[in-house]
Amino acid sequence: QVQVVESGGGSVQAGGSLKLSCIVSQNIFNTCGMGWWRQVPGKGRAVVASISPDGTTNYDESVKDRFKISEDNVKRTLFLEMNKLKTEDTGAYYCAMIPPWYTMPECLLSWGQGTQVTVSS
């Protein structure tokens, strides 16, 4: 299974920026679509940004024009640049496969520990 390690979270004031990183154990960006998932206490995980093997990116409306997802194939790293942060961006962020790739045998992933982002007003 693919393994990931997320980092880069922290505590910032509203309006600030953070850049999350996710190191992936295998070079799967050309095979599997990946994304950044956000989990808020009491709610399930939801994708906020994703990138497909062909490079197509998608964003949840709540983060559009503020977040940017990118990848570095050489370093096997997925990034999430987060700008103009809002208090509602607070949550634990995880990188993982997105539908439909996450059911493919070659894209099976072991969820990482995530990285916490806390935005204060």
Side-chain angles (χ1 to χ4, degrees), residues 4 24 28-29 32-35 49-51 69 78 95-98 109:
V4 296
V24 185
I28 45 77
F29 293 147
C32 311
M34 292 199 73
S50 65
I51 185 165
I69 188 170
L78 186 72
C95 67
M97 310 308 179
I98 58 169
L109 174 142

Side-chain angles (χ1 to χ4, degrees), residues 13 28 38 42 45-46 50 53-54 56 59 62 65-66 79 81 86 95 97 102:
Q13 288 193 321
I28 45 77
R38 177 170 66 204
R45 294 174 183 169
S50 65
D54 67 357
T56 301
Y59 299 90
S62 66
D65 300 324
R66 298 188 298 118
F79 299 102
E81 293 180 54
K86 303 177 179 180
C95 67
M97 310 308 179
Y102 66 28

